[in-house]
Amino acid sequence: MDIQGKAALVTGGGSGLGEATARELARLGAKVAVLDVNLGNAQRVANDIRGMAVHCDVTSPDSVHAAIEAAAAAHGPARILMQIAGIGTAKRIIGKDGNAAPLEDFAKVIHVNLSGTYNVARLFAAACVKLEPLTDGERGVMVFTASVAAYDGQVGQQAYSASKAGVVGMTLPMARDLAQHGIRVCTIAPGLFATPLMKTLPEPVQQSLAASIPFPQRLGQPSEFAELACHIVVNGHLNGETIRIDGALRLSPR
């Protein structure tokens, strides 16, 4: 799909990988709606790229529906969805006090990362199937965000790894489900990236993490994630696949 002139939605677009993806889409000529629970961050990015900012809670059907409608009113119906919103946590199943980890903590991560991804996907797809197909029969493209933790999660990452493994697991069946409608679905599984959250760590910790990456021995740049996300859009034969972008990293247990 040619990105030029297409309407695009980016969840989690107010910072990190989402911000980089929103900026790259805009550079390539897309009309970008920046969706985020932090409207201030979304507005900052939207102002820079001449897009629009929309408050969106990916776990809320009403919030997502309203965001899709607002974006469509401004830019026309979206054909591109970049799902990058998510949260992370690390908690051992048995704490130092000998007590089990709260179930609520696990459920929250699953709710945002997995249920939230599905929620946005189903509502985007419902709107997308109503569009006229492009010349190649394609109506839309969805790109999800998983993590290398889906495959080799570390100690304490049970909730995060499970949520991201769920995203990986639904990619192929969703692609098969939506094939009849001309909607492609792919997922990116990033490794260690230089996001604002990562940059809050002490510099020696960042250097140690970078040194664990075989090559190149540096943290990934958000722009590299964004370039891959946009390549998936333009490469029409990519469908139903999860692509790792990690410098050949395999996470150690700790």
Side-chain angles (χ1 to χ4, degrees):
M1 179 185 296
D2 184 7
I3 291 175
Q4 177 69 40
K6 302 299 189 300
L9 310 175
V10 183
T11 70
S15 63
L17 301 179
E19 176 178 348
T21 303
R23 292 181 182 279
E24 180 66 5
L25 283 166
R27 187 186 72 81
L28 295 171
K31 296 176 289 185
V32 182
V34 183
L35 279 52
D36 206 294
V37 290
N38 186 321
L39 186 57
N41 282 350
Q43 192 64 64
R44 173 182 58 82
V45 176
N47 289 344
D48 285 350
I49 65 174
R50 297 183 179 180
M52 68 175 297
V54 187
H55 176 270
C56 182
D57 174 358
V58 297
T59 68
S60 165
D62 290 342
S63 179
V64 173
H65 180 73
I68 292 174
E69 290 290 305
H75 293 162
R79 291 187 184 268
I80 300 168
L81 170 64
M82 300 291 190
Q83 291 230 62
I84 309 173
I87 61 174
T89 186
K91 183 166 292 188
R92 288 177 179 265
I93 192 167
I94 303 297
K96 292 181 179 179
D97 57 5
N99 293 324
L103 179 60
E104 294 79 8
D105 291 354
F106 183 93
K108 180 179 180 180
V109 176
I110 299 294
H111 189 46
V112 174
N113 292 355
L114 181 54
S115 298
T117 297
Y118 180 81
N119 184 39
V120 180
R122 71 187 184 91
L123 294 174
F124 170 82
C128 208
V129 297
K130 299 171 185 175
L131 303 179
E132 287 298 315
L134 302 174
T135 54
D136 57 0
E138 188 169 36
R139 286 188 170 88
V141 185
M142 294 191 280
V143 178
F144 301 157
T145 305
S147 166
V148 296
Y151 304 98
D152 34 76
Q154 296 182 300
V155 168
Q157 285 190 323
Q158 289 90 344
Y160 185 71
S161 293
S163 69
K164 295 303 188 178
V167 173
V168 172
M170 75 177 178
T171 300
L172 179 59
M174 190 176 292
R176 288 171 164 173
D177 192 343
L178 294 175
Q180 62 183 313
H181 302 295
I183 300 173
R184 292 187 290 117
V185 184
C186 281
T187 292
I188 300 174
L192 301 175
F193 273 72
T195 60
L197 181 61
M198 179 69 75
K199 291 179 180 178
T200 64
L201 298 175
E203 185 61 31
V205 175
Q206 293 185 49
Q207 292 176 359
S208 175
L209 290 171
S212 69
I213 301 172
F215 186 81
Q217 282 198 332
R218 61 169 175 79
L219 300 175
Q221 294 301 314
S223 61
E224 294 171 314
F225 176 96
E227 288 165 4
L228 176 56
C230 290
H231 177 74
I232 290 171
V233 175
V234 301
N235 190 325
H237 209 57
L238 279 172
N239 194 17
E241 186 58 81
T242 297
I243 304 170
R244 290 180 70 130
I245 178 169
D246 58 20
L249 172 71
R250 297 299 181 268
L251 296 174
S252 62
R254 290 180 177 81

